[in-house]
């Protein structure tokens, strides 16, 4: 079993590494000090299991787990934390187990057995969108990934089975549905077309094109985007309150 340990405390990582060293079928392939490092390591190394702390700087363990749920194959997640207050959120993030520090050898062994059962009957799943909203979107790039801050996203456009994320540094593809993104980030984005969500603060005006269609002019857009007839009235109402 290939394992990544993610914890911002070096001593905590050392303790887990020591416990795992006594197990012949376990290989620790990487360590990470925060959620972003953990995601990059998982994209590169495809581990079977991530032992994941929750309270870490930047992208915390719960958000990292929601990103990992979209990986294919999806690694198992076992949270290792000093607090038991996050247990419900951990299982909403589809964790296999939840260990409270200091982690006892017998509890770790039991968690690993659960992971083996999970691996034997692995079923792919997608993030449910429940719980706290993510602060980043995750684009897979040839064995690595790019984390895109939500505040940098200008608009989201569906193309076949992908969504193109247009953001401050360019464009990336993500394998998520526009509907799920609208459900998760509906307070930040507004639908202007069946295939397009735009950040509310990006829309500067609506104007009528020569062909009679309504267009949304974006603060940072090279060209306006078409607004579907069914979205025009709701969009005008939304813009009144921006």
């Amino acid at each position: 079993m290939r394992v990544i340990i993610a914890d911002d405390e070096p001593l905590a990582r050392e303790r887990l590494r020591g416990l795992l060293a006594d197990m012949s079928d376990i290989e620790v392939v990487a360590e990470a000090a925060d959620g972003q490092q953990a995601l990059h390591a998982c994209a590169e190394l495809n581990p079977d299991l991530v032992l994941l702390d929750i309270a870490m700087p930047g992208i915390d363990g719960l958000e990292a787990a929601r990103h990992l749920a979209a990986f294919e194959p999806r690694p198992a997640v076992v949270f290792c934390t000093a607090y038991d207050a996050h247990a419900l959120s951990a299982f909403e993030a589809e964790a296999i187990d939840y260990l409270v520090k200091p982690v006892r050898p017998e509890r770790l062994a039991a968690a690993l057995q659960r992971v083996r059962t999970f691996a034997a009957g692995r079923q792919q799943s997608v993030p449910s969108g429940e719980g706290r909203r993510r602060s980043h979107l995750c684009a897979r790039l040839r064995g690595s990934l790019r984390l895109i801050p939500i505040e940098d996203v200008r608009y989201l456009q569906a193309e076949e089975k992908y969504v193109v994320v247009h953001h401050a540094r360019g464009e990336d593809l993500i394998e998520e549905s526009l509907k799920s993104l609208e459900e998760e980030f509906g307070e930040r984005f507004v639908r202007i077309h069946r295939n397009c969500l735009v950040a509310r603060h990006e829309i500067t005006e609506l104007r009528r094109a020569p062909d009679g269609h309504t267009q949304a002019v974006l603060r940072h857009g090279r060209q306006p985007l078409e607004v579907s007839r069914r979205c025009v009235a709701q969009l005008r109402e939304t813009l009144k309150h921006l």
Side-chain angles (χ1 to χ4, degrees), residues 6 11 27 34 80 94 106 111 123 125 133 143 153 163 168 175 187 195 220:
L11 289 178
E27 178 188 7
D34 57 43
C80 303
E94 302 184 61
E106 60 271 22
Q123 295 180 346
S125 65
R133 288 186 296 275
V153 177
V163 167
E175 296 185 51
E187 293 181 3
N195 68 351
H220 296 100

Side-chain angles (χ1 to χ4, degrees), residues 62-63 65-67 69 88-94 126-135 176 179-181 183-185:
L62 291 173
E63 181 172 349
R66 287 192 287 272
H67 286 300
L88 179 59
S89 296
F91 289 111
E92 285 177 348
E94 302 184 61
V126 296
S128 64
E130 298 179 357
R132 192 173 61 183
R133 288 186 296 275
R134 291 170 290 169
S135 62
E176 300 190 42
K179 185 177 185 297
S180 68
L181 291 166
E183 290 172 353
E184 185 174 358
F185 301 108

Side-chain angles (χ1 to χ4, degrees), residues 7 33 36 73 76 102 110 114 120 136 138 151 154 158 160 162-163 186 190 202 234:
D7 197 305
Q36 182 163 339
R114 288 189 177 190
H136 294 69
C138 183
E151 60 265 27
R154 294 168 179 170
E160 298 181 352
Y162 298 101
V163 167
V190 61
E202 278 292 317
Q234 182 60 47

Side-chain angles (χ1 to χ4, degrees), residues 48-180:
D48 302 299
L49 166 65
V50 185
L51 294 173
L52 192 59
D53 187 21
I54 290 180
M56 295 187 291
I59 295 177
D60 66 16
L62 291 173
E63 181 172 349
R66 287 192 287 272
H67 286 300
L68 290 172
F71 277 37
E72 190 174 337
R74 174 166 65 100
V77 170
V78 170
F79 284 112
C80 303
T81 178
Y83 309 98
D84 58 9
H86 297 294
L88 179 59
S89 296
F91 289 111
E92 285 177 348
E94 302 184 61
I96 300 297
D97 209 339
Y98 183 94
L99 307 180
V100 178
K101 299 175 183 176
V103 176
R104 292 180 287 116
E106 60 271 22
R107 276 294 288 121
L108 179 59
L112 293 175
Q113 186 55 48
R114 288 189 177 190
V115 172
R116 292 184 184 96
T117 302
F118 166 82
R122 186 188 302 269
Q123 295 180 346
Q124 300 302 327
S125 65
V126 296
S128 64
E130 298 179 357
R132 192 173 61 183
R133 288 186 296 275
R134 291 170 290 169
S135 62
H136 294 69
L137 296 178
C138 183
R140 300 293 295 274
L141 302 166
R142 297 175 186 163
S144 73
L145 56 81
R146 176 177 291 138
L147 293 171
I148 308 162
I150 287 296
E151 60 265 27
D152 287 352
V153 177
R154 294 168 179 170
Y155 64 100
L156 301 157
Q157 203 158 33
E159 287 191 8
E160 298 181 352
K161 67 175 182 177
Y162 298 101
V163 167
V164 182
V165 182
H166 298 262
H167 55 89
R169 295 183 303 281
E171 301 175 7
D172 285 289
L173 297 178
I174 60 173
E175 296 185 51
E176 300 190 42
S177 73
L178 206 62
K179 185 177 185 297
S180 68

